[in-house]
C-alpha cells in the first residue's frame, strides 16, 4: 500500500509534464502546416496579446483546424508588424 501511494504521487506530477509535452507537440505540428514553428507561433501570439493556453491551442489544432489557422494568421501578422 505504501509503495503504491509513493508512485501515485510521483505519477500525478509526471502526468502534468507529459500532457504539456503532448500539447506542445500537437501545436508544433499544426503550426508547421501554416509555415510557423512552435516558438514563433507562441511569440507571435504574445506580441498580438492573445491569451490562450497550450491546452486550448492543442485542442483547436486537433478539433478545429480552421480556427487554429486563424490563430496562426494572427500570430504571423503580429510577427511581421
Amino acid at each position: 500500500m505504501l509503495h503504491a501511494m509513493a508512485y501515485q504521487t510521483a505519477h500525478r506530477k509526471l502526468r502534468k509534464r507529459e500532457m504539456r509535452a503532448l500539447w506542445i507537440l500537437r501545436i508544433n505540428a499544426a503550426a508547421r502546416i501554416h509555415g510557423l514553428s512552435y516558438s514563433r507561433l507562441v511569440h507571435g501570439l504574445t506580441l498580438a496579446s492573445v491569451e490562450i493556453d497550450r491546452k486550448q491551442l492543442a485542442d483547436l489544432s486537433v478539433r478545429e483546424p480552421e480556427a487554429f489557422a486563424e490563430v496562426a494568421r494572427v500570430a504571423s501578422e503580429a510577427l511581421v508588424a
Side-chain angles (χ1 to χ4, degrees):
M1 181 78 165
L2 292 176
H3 181 264
M5 288 172 47
Y7 280 103
Q8 181 182 30
T9 302
H11 289 151
R12 273 197 311 269
K13 293 180 183 289
L14 186 60
R15 178 176 165 82
K16 292 173 180 65
R17 193 178 321 151
E18 290 173 348
M19 290 305 295
R20 183 179 170 105
L22 176 65
W23 296 332
I24 290 172
L25 188 72
R26 287 179 177 173
I27 295 167
N28 189 30
R32 298 260 179 200
I33 292 171
H34 299 288
L36 295 167
S37 66
Y38 168 77
S39 61
R40 293 197 36 88
L41 174 75
V42 172
H43 182 63
L45 291 176
T46 303
L47 291 176
S49 299
V50 176
E51 294 182 10
I52 184 168
D53 63 4
R54 286 164 184 80
K55 182 178 181 180
Q56 292 172 342
L57 270 175
D59 192 46
L60 277 179
S61 69
V62 172
R63 296 174 193 243
E64 300 289 335
E66 299 86 19
F68 186 84
E70 184 65 23
V71 170
R73 186 189 61 76
V74 168
S76 62
E77 285 178 359
L79 287 170
V80 172

